[in-house]
Amino acid sequence: MGVDDKSSDSHVVSEAVVEKHLDYDAESHVQPEATLKRQLKNRHIAMISIGGVIGTGLFLGTATSLQSGGPIGLLLGYAVVGTVCYSVMISLGEMVAYLPLPGGHIKLAERFVDPAFSFTMGWNYWYNWTIILPAELSAAAVLINFWNKSVNNAVWITMCLIVVITINMFGAGVYGEAEFIFASIKVITITGLIILGIVLDLGGGPNHDRLGFRYWKHPGPFVQFDGIGGAKGQFLGFFAVLTQAAFSFIGTEIVAIAAGEAKNPRRNLPKAIKRVYVRILLFYIGGVIIIGLLVPSTDPSLGITTSDAGKSPFVIAIKHAGISGLPSVINAALLTSAWSAASSDLYTSSRALYGLAMVGNAPKVFTKVTKGGLPIVSLITCAAFSTLAYMGISTGSGKVFGWFVNMTSIAGLMTWFGIAVTYVRFYKGMKLQGIDRKTLPYAHVLQPYAAWYAIFMCLLICFFSGWAVFLKGKWATDTFVTNYIPLALFPILYISAKLYFRTPMVKPEDMDFITGLKEIEADSYDEPPPRNWVERVWQWLVRTFYLPR
């Protein structure tokens, strides 16, 4: 994959930087030392990076995308956003593997751009993960409606919320264990669904109906969006997929936030970053190909905007194949994915708020941490916002889910934009200070071009995300607001913070590549050899399937 993994040489970097900054007054720039505990093990980080935020975007949100773009439009939309995601992750990976600080890219933005940009990144990121939590809870209610539509959705939302808060209240260690189990279920589920999908497509189901590429021919590979004919309507259908596809991918950067609580970060984080391409190709691209083969874009069950349409495209396909009983099993597995994603949302939003407070961009009360390393005030505050999911009681959880998809997609893309901008500055600082990137724990040959590509694509998708409301007779205030308010929020926050802080952009020659390195290197160690056959099998799986050769 064009990656240089040279963890053993990372000390050369710190020596070179220290020599260049002998007179640097580091103490004046150090924030109060973080008190989060490094409780996340290698296997936790591995599963968080592979399946941590695979959730309702892929399992449920793809229904709307298939309706809008058709099977080819769906595939192309996910492929394009997948390339943007990978570009962002290799940018983030290079920075966070070198400096795995509490606060992740929020803290890095302060070092390599300016405090105002860090402020903007932090609050945008907190907003993103605070809003996505009720989205996952709404999606969980939609999935449960598959079995029972008579019970008020408030019951299901409350039940899921209790599970999510309980997991997080026990700290990063329990969260890591729970996420390991949940993510394992998701990985097994999506892998099983892809295999089952291939079997069903080839006629291996109870009805022995060989589908092949039937639905790519009729109703067709693309959808003529809003009845607009020709290539124009097909392109608009494809473009409509991009925002929802972004929702599915958003969260891949959670590894950066977990950096402050990861054991042996210099060794484990580069591995986690390298696994991203497996997740993109196997789970997302493989998943949407199967969906496009098994379900026609005209299937009426695909709509999730009504409160009684609690069906995933995978469940629809299995029902069409005539397999009784299995749809309920799959729906249950998809429900655990919603719990898992919601748990990750609460974990990330609470750590983002903690990171904001650590750098002085939020009230100091949010830095309060229990003896076990739990940012309790941040956690309770973020959990309170999850009650927004109860809006679905009157409006319909499916429709509310759609609102939150728009809001989190745009906020998430702006986070990706900020990460790419921070990397461009990081790259320039490294080059100007004479630091050889080959000595970093992780580096990629596509840089800095990948970062610039991510910057351009994130802005493009965001700017045109709500274009459908400008079609004749298609104006929808809720769609316009949920697409463009998050986009407007980013420059408003930055300009306001710039006026408040009145600090210039950090010059490349003044960038701090030193502070925190000693502590990070002290936390680095060689992994012990496997003690039993289970650990040996796990190590083999990681090396065989998740690491590029």
Side-chain angles (χ1 to χ4, degrees):
M1 296 298 294
V3 177
D4 297 320
D5 184 10
K6 302 189 179 180
S7 300
S8 59
D9 296 332
S10 61
H11 67 280
V12 177
V13 180
S14 49
E15 289 175 4
V17 178
V18 171
E19 287 175 6
K20 191 167 183 68
H21 293 270
L22 286 175
D23 59 345
Y24 187 84
D25 184 14
E27 294 300 320
S28 63
H29 293 263
V30 178
Q31 300 293 335
E33 188 175 351
T35 53
L36 296 179
K37 308 294 182 184
R38 295 192 182 273
Q39 302 176 49
L40 297 178
K41 302 175 183 177
N42 181 23
R43 60 187 176 88
H44 297 154
I45 295 295
M47 291 312 294
I48 288 171
S49 66
I50 297 165
V53 284
I54 293 176
T56 50
L58 176 61
F59 292 132
L60 185 63
T62 43
T64 305
S65 293
L66 182 59
Q67 267 191 329
S68 300
I72 296 296
L74 173 67
L75 175 59
L76 290 177
Y78 269 75
V80 168
V81 178
T83 62
V84 179
C85 176
Y86 187 73
S87 299
V88 170
M89 286 306 293
I90 61 176
S91 302
L92 179 62
E94 192 167 316
M95 294 186 292
V96 83
Y98 175 62
L99 286 170
L101 303 171
H105 51 277
I106 301 169
K107 182 68 176 174
L108 294 170
E110 182 189 33
R111 286 198 183 194
F112 305 123
V113 186
D114 69 357
F117 199 72
S118 175
F119 176 91
T120 306
M121 285 276 288
W123 281 109
N124 179 77
Y125 198 62
W126 174 80
Y127 160 82
N128 176 30
W129 285 98
T130 301
I131 292 299
I132 203 172
L133 173 55
E136 299 291 356
L137 296 173
S138 297
V142 172
L143 289 168
I144 295 174
N145 283 336
F146 175 78
W147 295 298
N148 191 325
K149 301 181 182 70
S150 61
V151 178
N152 194 302
N153 279 341
V155 175
W156 310 131
I157 291 170
T158 303
M159 179 187 71
C160 296
L161 189 56
I162 291 172
V163 172
V164 169
I165 293 176
T166 302
I167 289 171
N168 276 269
M169 287 297 286
F170 282 103
V174 172
Y175 161 76
E177 291 294 344
E179 197 55 42
F180 180 81
I181 295 170
F182 281 144
S184 297
I185 293 172
K186 285 191 286 187
V187 169
I188 293 169
T189 300
I190 187 63
T191 305
L193 286 172
I194 290 172
I195 295 171
L196 177 63
I198 295 171
V199 172
L200 294 178
D201 187 65
L202 297 176
N207 57 9
H208 302 294
D209 182 15
R210 190 181 187 280
L211 296 173
F213 290 89
R214 179 186 303 172
Y215 299 134
W216 288 32
K217 297 175 183 177
H218 181 77
F222 291 95
V223 170
Q224 301 296 145
F225 191 88
D226 197 38
I228 300 172
K232 180 181 179 182
Q234 293 175 351
F235 174 78
L236 293 177
F238 147 74
F239 206 90
V241 174
L242 296 180
T243 302
Q244 191 282 322
F247 176 78
S248 297
F249 282 102
I250 295 301
T252 313
E253 73 285 346
I254 190 176
V255 174
I257 291 293
E261 295 173 277
K263 291 184 177 181
N264 204 9
R266 277 286 178 88
R267 180 180 175 88
N268 292 333
L269 290 175
K271 288 182 181 180
I273 299 297
K274 292 175 187 177
R275 297 181 187 111
V276 169
Y277 80 95
V278 176
R279 178 177 144 185
I280 293 171
L281 292 177
L282 176 61
F283 301 143
Y284 287 106
I285 303 303
V288 298
I289 288 174
I290 294 300
I291 288 171
L293 291 174
L294 298 181
V295 184
S297 58
T298 53
D299 194 303
S301 299
L302 288 173
I304 65 168
T305 54
T306 56
S307 60
D308 61 346
K311 297 175 184 176
S312 160
F314 292 105
V315 175
I316 295 169
I318 294 168
K319 287 190 72 177
H320 286 343
I323 305 176
S324 60
L326 188 57
S328 288
V329 174
I330 297 302
N331 208 64
L334 303 190
L335 182 59
T336 64
S337 80
W339 285 345
S340 168
S343 181
S344 292
D345 301 341
L346 182 54
Y347 171 85
T348 309
S349 61
S350 61
R351 270 57 178 186
L353 186 55
Y354 171 84
L356 279 167
M358 285 297 295
V359 297
N361 290 335
K364 196 172 182 180
V365 67
F366 294 118
T367 62
K368 185 173 177 58
V369 176
T370 65
K371 292 181 180 179
L374 180 71
I376 187 66
V377 179
S378 295
L379 183 64
I380 293 172
T381 302
C382 294
F385 282 89
S386 61
T387 54
L388 290 171
Y390 290 104
M391 289 194 302
I393 296 170
S394 58
T395 310
S397 289
K399 190 169 186 178
V400 171
F401 176 71
W403 292 343
F404 287 134
V405 165
N406 292 339
M407 295 168 73
T408 55
S409 295
I410 303 307
L413 285 168
M414 292 310 295
T415 292
W416 284 5
F417 163 79
I419 290 170
V421 168
T422 303
Y423 177 80
V424 169
R425 298 283 300 162
F426 173 88
Y427 182 92
K428 189 173 183 180
M430 282 264 172
K431 189 174 181 180
L432 226 111
Q433 295 189 22
I435 302 171
D436 187 358
R437 289 174 53 249
K438 292 180 180 179
T439 60
L440 297 179
Y442 177 86
H444 203 287
V445 295
L446 290 179
Q447 296 294 10
Y449 311 107
W452 282 110
Y453 168 73
I455 289 171
F456 172 77
M457 288 301 297
C458 287
L459 290 177
L460 179 71
I461 296 171
C462 286
F463 188 76
F464 291 104
S465 61
W467 59 268
V469 300
F470 297 106
L471 296 176
K472 187 176 181 180
K474 291 295 180 180
W475 176 261
T477 303
D478 57 346
T479 302
F480 178 82
V481 169
T482 54
N483 275 282
Y484 289 112
I485 290 298
L487 179 59
L489 189 65
F490 199 91
I492 290 171
L493 282 172
Y494 182 68
I495 293 170
S496 300
K498 199 71 176 172
L499 292 173
Y500 177 79
F501 290 113
R502 298 187 179 275
T503 52
M505 189 170 285
V506 180
K507 295 179 180 178
E509 58 269 24
D510 295 332
M511 290 179 183
D512 174 17
F513 292 97
I514 301 174
T515 306
L517 272 181
K518 287 184 179 180
E519 293 82 358
I520 292 164
E521 290 174 349
D523 285 326
S524 300
Y525 54 87
D526 292 329
E527 297 283 351
R531 296 168 296 180
N532 50 54
W533 70 270
V534 176
E535 291 186 359
R536 282 194 293 272
V537 169
W538 170 253
Q539 190 178 79
W540 176 81
L541 285 171
V542 169
R543 288 177 176 173
T544 304
F545 297 106
Y546 302 144
L547 296 183
R549 297 183 180 183

